[in-house]
Amino acid sequence: MKAFEVFTDKGGKSVDMLGQVIFVKYFEDVIDPSLHVDITIADTNGLINKLPIRSGSVVKIHVEHPSQDDPLAMSLIVTNISGHIIDQKREVYTLTCETKGALSNHTNRVWKKYTGSIATTVSTIINEKIEGEIKSERLDLTSNELEFYGNYRRPFKLIGDLCRKAIPSTSGSSDIGSGGTAGYLFFETQDGYNFRSIDVIFKSDAKLEYMMTPFKKGLDVSNNFKLASSPAMTESHDIIKKLRSGAYSSSNWYYDVLTRKVLFENFKFNKNIELANDEDVTPTDFKEPYSRIILSTLDQGTTVKDAEGVKTNTPQRQAEYQAQASARYAAMFSQILDITVPMNLSLRAGQVIKVKFPDLNTGKPQDKNSPESGKYMIARLSHEFGNPEGDFTGLSLVRDSFTINE
């Protein structure tokens, strides 16, 4: 960490508190629209009251690391001060910091009418209400349009609602409204805001590859891409629980509040979801009959040109889309792998990486693919600086399928 400054309200003057930082934890999460940074400070000068440091104070951090060419430089706002301990020689406390958008979300409301592509609408809301920006590489285009009023909702809440209705644009498709599986993620990384399709993420190539192996050579560069500790795998093999939740097949009954009609949509996971890896874990004997009935409503708004949603520019098959989104979100977290790797600032939430595990009793990942090996998406990450044992990155990885053992 190269710099840590706290700005006071008096004339915008800053105080360098780098020497009093104990450790820093940086967090990203694909289901959280705001990143978080926890900075623990051992204050020997009583600056928390002399400056003073309060919620709303502006801080700037500057971190450099060989794993990334560009430094991690951010201007943040203190949103909470916790863990305040006082003794005779120092005060220890933790500053929880977030970007300005986290506060703007609570001070701005979306009220006007929006039309056109959902992806374009999300970009407009971020620019107008959050004063942020989504670059093209972090904005997956949508194949469907939506016409609606903001109804004075908070920006992040509204965008979260749009995530379930957005359909990614299929490359090379000429059919209006055609696309992949419904389900988007809206989150923030050190690069800015992201509006990404789950389908597009899992179809993308792995950025990096990490390996679990007991063989490590001193001063070997490849050690940076080997697990730093034993992984923890959380898999849901409970078939009763999955049948109860309709993970394999569900019958979705929707009441359309505009047309007052009841719509039925039978959704089968193995026929509607494209898996990231090779092996489909759907049980053969139980994947056809639906195991859950889901009751919900459809609200296509009162401004659509066609109440049926058929003669619009992009057909609004909301019954199908909502069923897809529900299954996609559930499948994404069906397998969770927690690993710790050497510090790597180039990693981002929402990236796809490959993890290789050795087959049992072989010790070498090259001998045979373990079913746990394969592509994973980074759902959550935490960079930790100042740990006495070294700087590490913790990753919580998710996927929807296994790799065939061959």
Side-chain angles (χ1 to χ4, degrees):
M1 193 168 186
K2 297 297 183 181
F4 174 63
E5 296 179 284
V6 179
F7 288 79
T8 67
D9 291 334
K10 300 178 181 179
K13 295 181 179 179
S14 65
V15 176
D16 185 0
M17 297 184 64
L18 179 61
Q20 301 185 66
V21 174
I22 301 178
F23 55 84
V24 177
K25 291 183 177 180
Y26 170 94
F27 302 94
E28 293 177 3
D29 194 328
V30 295
I31 58 174
D32 192 336
S34 178
L35 59 84
H36 308 267
V37 181
D38 288 343
I39 305 171
T40 301
I41 295 174
D43 186 353
T44 57
N45 298 317
L47 295 176
I48 189 171
N49 291 312
K50 288 180 180 179
L51 287 178
I53 302 175
R54 297 289 186 264
S55 292
S57 297
V58 176
V59 302
K60 288 188 176 182
I61 62 173
H62 186 97
V63 180
E64 296 180 1
H65 195 269
S67 61
Q68 179 171 275
D69 294 334
D70 298 327
L72 174 58
M74 308 187 74
S75 177
L76 304 167
I77 298 176
V78 178
T79 57
N80 191 22
I81 302 175
S82 59
H84 195 174
I85 301 174
I86 305 175
D87 59 28
Q88 293 181 343
K89 294 185 178 181
R90 65 178 185 175
E91 297 180 73
V92 178
Y93 47 88
T94 299
L95 304 179
T96 298
C97 307
E98 301 182 44
T99 55
K100 183 180 178 181
L103 281 74
S104 298
N105 176 58
H106 294 278
T107 58
N108 291 290
R109 299 282 177 161
V110 182
W111 52 269
K112 73 176 188 179
K113 179 181 177 180
Y114 291 90
T115 60
S117 164
I118 294 179
T120 303
T121 297
V122 169
S123 180
T124 301
I125 293 173
I126 292 297
N127 289 330
E128 294 178 350
K129 301 299 180 179
I130 305 298
E131 299 179 9
E133 181 183 6
I134 302 183
K135 294 185 178 179
S136 58
E137 62 268 20
R138 302 193 305 272
L139 179 69
D140 291 336
L141 300 180
T142 53
S143 61
N144 58 329
E145 299 178 353
L146 192 63
E147 188 172 340
F148 67 97
Y149 287 95
N151 292 333
Y152 289 90
R153 284 176 285 178
R154 291 188 176 95
F156 289 170
K157 174 65 170 64
L158 177 57
I159 295 175
D161 293 340
L162 294 176
C163 286
R164 303 183 68 87
K165 299 180 179 180
I167 309 293
S169 177
T170 303
S171 178
S173 175
S174 58
D175 296 332
I176 296 177
S178 66
T181 306
Y184 269 61
L185 298 169
F186 175 65
F187 56 97
E188 186 180 22
T189 66
Q190 58 178 286
D191 298 322
Y193 292 104
N194 297 255
F195 188 67
R196 301 294 314 279
S197 161
I198 300 175
D199 256 14
V200 174
I201 290 176
F202 277 113
K203 289 178 182 178
S204 61
D205 296 330
K207 298 289 184 181
L208 296 171
E209 180 175 292
Y210 282 93
M211 182 183 304
M212 178 184 176
T213 175
F215 307 105
K216 295 182 180 179
K217 299 179 181 179
L219 303 178
D220 189 348
V221 178
S222 65
N223 288 343
N224 292 325
F225 300 97
K226 296 178 181 178
L227 304 194
S229 62
S230 299
M233 175 71 77
T234 304
E235 298 172 343
S236 178
H237 291 289
D238 190 339
I239 189 173
I240 300 298
K241 181 179 179 181
K242 289 190 174 184
L243 288 172
R244 189 181 297 119
S245 64
Y248 307 125
S249 180
S250 63
S251 181
N252 300 266
W253 301 358
Y254 296 107
Y255 176 72
D256 193 319
V257 297
L258 190 62
T259 63
R260 299 183 182 182
K261 293 181 179 179
V262 178
L263 304 176
F264 301 93
E265 183 71 28
N266 291 331
F267 186 85
K268 299 184 185 300
F269 178 85
N270 62 317
K271 293 182 179 180
N272 296 85
I273 302 292
E274 185 172 344
L275 302 177
N277 293 292
D278 307 319
E279 183 181 355
D280 180 8
V281 295
T282 307
T284 305
D285 297 336
F286 304 102
K287 64 183 181 181
E288 290 300 328
Y290 61 83
S291 59
R292 183 186 181 188
I293 298 175
I294 300 175
L295 305 179
S296 187
T297 59
L298 293 180
D299 183 6
Q300 304 190 62
T302 58
T303 61
V304 292
K305 298 177 182 178
D306 178 20
E308 302 288 346
V310 176
K311 298 179 181 179
T312 54
N313 292 333
T314 56
Q316 304 297 305
R317 302 185 299 273
Q318 286 299 327
E320 177 184 350
Y321 297 164
Q322 288 191 25
Q324 286 180 351
S326 298
R328 200 29 155 160
Y329 289 128
M332 188 177 68
F333 291 96
S334 62
Q335 297 182 56
I336 303 176
L337 173 66
D338 294 324
I339 64 174
T340 301
V341 300
M343 174 62 66
N344 190 342
L345 283 182
S346 67
L347 295 173
R348 305 284 192 275
Q351 278 185 349
V352 172
I353 65 172
K354 183 175 288 187
V355 182
K356 296 186 70 174
F357 293 95
D359 200 27
L360 290 179
N361 301 317
T362 62
K364 296 181 180 181
Q366 293 86 352
D367 293 341
K368 200 174 185 181
N369 286 331
S370 167
E372 280 72 30
S373 300
K375 291 169 61 176
Y376 289 83
M377 183 190 74
I378 300 175
R380 292 178 288 272
L381 68 78
S382 172
H383 300 305
E384 184 170 332
F385 309 92
N387 189 318
E389 298 181 359
D391 297 336
F392 296 97
T393 297
L395 301 175
S396 185
L397 310 174
V398 298
R399 67 174 182 176
D400 54 13
S401 55
F402 288 93
T403 300
I404 296 178
N405 190 353
E406 61 182 13

